[in-house]
Amino acid sequence: QELDYVRKDLSYKNESFKIESISDRLKFVTENYKEKTKQKMQAKATPIREGVLLIEEEHTIEDLKRLGRRLEERFGIKTIQAYTHKDEGHYDKVTSEWKPNYHAHMVFDWTDHETGKSLKLNKEDISELQTIVAEELGLERGIPSDKKHLNAIQYKAEQVKKDIETIEKMPLK
């Protein structure tokens, strides 16, 4: 399927690494949990998690590997896959200029292999995790906010509303 936000001419810039498939790792963590706890893993458990990070054009898969090692050292979170996306974005509705959306996906095994259980990170741990991401990738750390998080559909609706407001302010030709 052709995606209007992907420029195939830039796809060569994408990079990835894969230590293990998600299905193989899920099988391992499920079996490990059962072996260690003598119980079946709960259906709502999330032992495999994905994170999406904003990156810059110059970031490489080696940067993500380094970040993964640091997250594992600090929290025990094991990176099993990572992907950079440098071919996605959109054309500005007013200027028609390409606006890239550089980002990366990282897939994690979020379990303690000794106990078989999911790792538990509290609010302070998550904040520290965000700081580590910023430090490792040389990015500006976001500031804490009480602002309500929008889901993807809400965010897109807000963007369309802003686009309409911008177009309405433009002088007629």
Side-chain angles (χ1 to χ4, degrees):
Q1 174 179 331
E2 288 282 322
L3 302 171
D4 63 354
Y5 58 87
V6 174
R7 282 190 42 191
K8 292 208 178 293
D9 62 315
L10 299 176
S11 293
Y12 73 94
K13 294 182 173 190
N14 296 341
E15 297 178 287
S16 66
F17 78 86
K18 181 175 170 180
I19 293 170
E20 190 172 14
S21 73
I22 293 172
S23 59
D24 286 347
R25 183 55 66 109
L26 185 57
K27 183 175 187 256
F28 165 76
V29 298
T30 303
E31 290 171 358
N32 190 48
Y33 180 86
K34 190 169 188 174
E35 177 189 319
K36 304 286 184 183
T37 67
K38 310 298 184 228
Q39 300 174 34
K40 187 176 175 185
M41 186 178 282
Q42 293 181 3
K44 65 178 183 175
T46 55
I48 307 295
R49 299 184 186 185
E50 179 180 10
V52 179
L53 336 163
L54 295 178
I55 60 172
E56 301 290 342
E57 184 176 17
E58 65 272 6
H59 286 118
T60 68
I61 205 68
E62 293 306 316
D63 296 324
L64 298 182
K65 287 178 181 178
R66 189 179 67 250
L67 171 60
R69 286 190 296 272
R70 182 126 178 243
L71 294 176
E72 185 167 1
E73 286 169 12
R74 173 60 186 94
F75 300 108
I77 299 166
K78 297 156 221 50
T79 305
I80 61 168
Q81 297 177 12
Y83 305 86
T84 64
H85 291 264
K86 297 181 179 181
D87 58 351
E88 296 181 21
H90 70 277
Y91 287 97
D92 185 282
K93 290 176 178 55
V94 176
T95 66
S96 299
E97 179 186 353
W98 175 251
K99 302 282 188 178
N101 174 19
Y102 300 122
H103 65 282
H105 295 255
M106 295 181 76
V107 181
F108 306 101
D109 170 347
W110 207 273
T111 64
D112 179 335
H113 291 185
E114 296 297 314
T115 66
K117 296 181 178 181
S118 289
L119 297 164
K120 305 288 186 240
L121 274 59
N122 62 31
K123 192 174 181 177
E124 290 77 23
D125 292 331
I126 297 297
S127 181
E128 182 182 349
L129 185 146
Q130 292 171 331
T131 299
I132 290 171
V133 170
E135 287 172 359
E136 282 299 320
L137 298 180
L139 300 171
E140 184 178 328
R141 172 66 166 90
I143 54 172
S145 168
D146 291 332
K147 191 173 180 181
K148 186 179 180 298
H149 180 75
L150 301 177
N151 69 34
I153 294 170
Q154 291 168 323
Y155 177 79
K156 288 177 183 175
E158 284 293 318
Q159 292 305 116
V160 168
K161 183 178 169 186
K162 287 179 185 175
D163 290 343
I164 290 169
E165 289 170 359
T166 301
I167 291 168
E168 285 176 340
K169 290 178 187 173
M170 293 175 65
L172 296 174
K173 292 183 180 178

